[in-house]
Amino acid sequence: MSWPDVPQVLDLVGIFVFAVSGALAAVRKRLDVVGMVVLAEITALGGGILRDLLIGAVPPAAFTSLGYVLVPLAASALVFFWHPQVTRLLPAVLLFDAAGLGLFCATGTVKALDHGLSPLHAVLLGVVTAVGGGVLRDMLSGQIPSVLYDRQLYAVPAMLGAAVTAAASSAGLHGGGVTAGAAVLAFALRALAMRHGWRAPRPRGVPD
């Protein structure tokens, strides 16, 4: 496998894991196979589509490669037939989800910077890339988006990874190593938050 192929493979791995989380959400909501596929696709691709539409990168990347559509379908099939087994593997799935979060916040920021956005706006779009699909999933399944109460830190690691990517770019540092480093930082914070139960603070006087 040549080096240019590696980012695309990692992208598809992240899409697969996000799609699994969307399909599992459909199982918890007792949706049928159509609802499962919709939630899987929107969770996996929603953030990237929102980013590309906002920066004018049309058609969005999700519509330029067959793999972006087929991978969520494969994840849906896996969950449809073997969701009890997938649920038992949920801790491992969550770790891969954290890896996808780190990867998407960093690559989303890089793409926004490449389209001429300021570092601040690129960070915002990096976060949108990482969490946008999950927000759409929660809205479609009729619940408050989990990012709004950020249990075990989700948006915060995405902000960290996006901010590090933008700061490095402003300092003249570019390339796959910088993107990978920012992704690893976001992944590490998310993984530590899951292990130790860290969460974003609430306003004073608001009970847990």
Side-chain angles (χ1 to χ4, degrees):
M1 183 182 299
S2 62
W3 169 248
D5 294 329
V6 173
Q8 184 176 15
V9 170
L10 293 175
D11 202 28
L12 291 176
V13 170
I15 285 171
F16 179 83
V17 176
F18 279 9
V20 167
S21 73
L24 287 174
V27 172
R28 290 193 294 270
K29 291 291 183 177
R30 303 176 65 84
L31 303 183
D32 62 16
V33 65
V34 175
M36 178 179 289
V37 170
V38 168
L39 285 191
E41 294 278 357
I42 203 69
T43 305
L45 305 176
I49 291 172
L50 287 173
R51 176 204 62 215
D52 289 350
L53 291 177
L54 288 170
I55 63 178
V58 291
F63 298 107
T64 60
S65 172
L66 194 59
Y68 284 102
V69 178
L70 293 182
V71 167
L73 286 177
S76 299
L78 176 70
V79 174
F80 183 82
F81 289 107
W82 296 290
H83 63 86
Q85 292 85 347
V86 175
T87 301
R88 285 197 292 271
L89 294 173
L90 192 57
V93 171
L94 289 175
L95 274 180
F96 281 109
D97 180 84
L101 177 81
L103 177 68
F104 285 2
C105 72
T107 57
T109 303
V110 169
K111 188 166 186 177
L113 290 169
D114 288 344
H115 278 74
L117 270 69
S118 71
L120 175 60
H121 293 102
V123 168
L124 294 176
L125 279 190
V127 174
V128 167
T129 305
V131 308
V135 171
L136 294 172
R137 174 201 64 213
D138 292 344
M139 292 174 64
L140 287 175
S141 60
Q143 62 188 50
I144 299 174
S146 58
V147 70
L148 296 183
Y149 50 94
D150 213 9
R151 290 180 179 171
Q152 296 183 345
L153 298 187
Y154 203 79
V156 171
M159 291 178 190
L160 173 65
V164 168
T165 303
S169 177
S170 297
L173 300 174
H174 306 277
V178 173
T179 303
V184 168
L185 279 177
F187 165 77
L189 179 56
R190 169 64 176 152
L192 287 170
M194 288 190 295
R195 180 176 178 83
H196 298 291
W198 297 343
R199 60 179 300 166
R202 290 185 176 184
R204 290 184 62 186
V206 176
D208 289 334

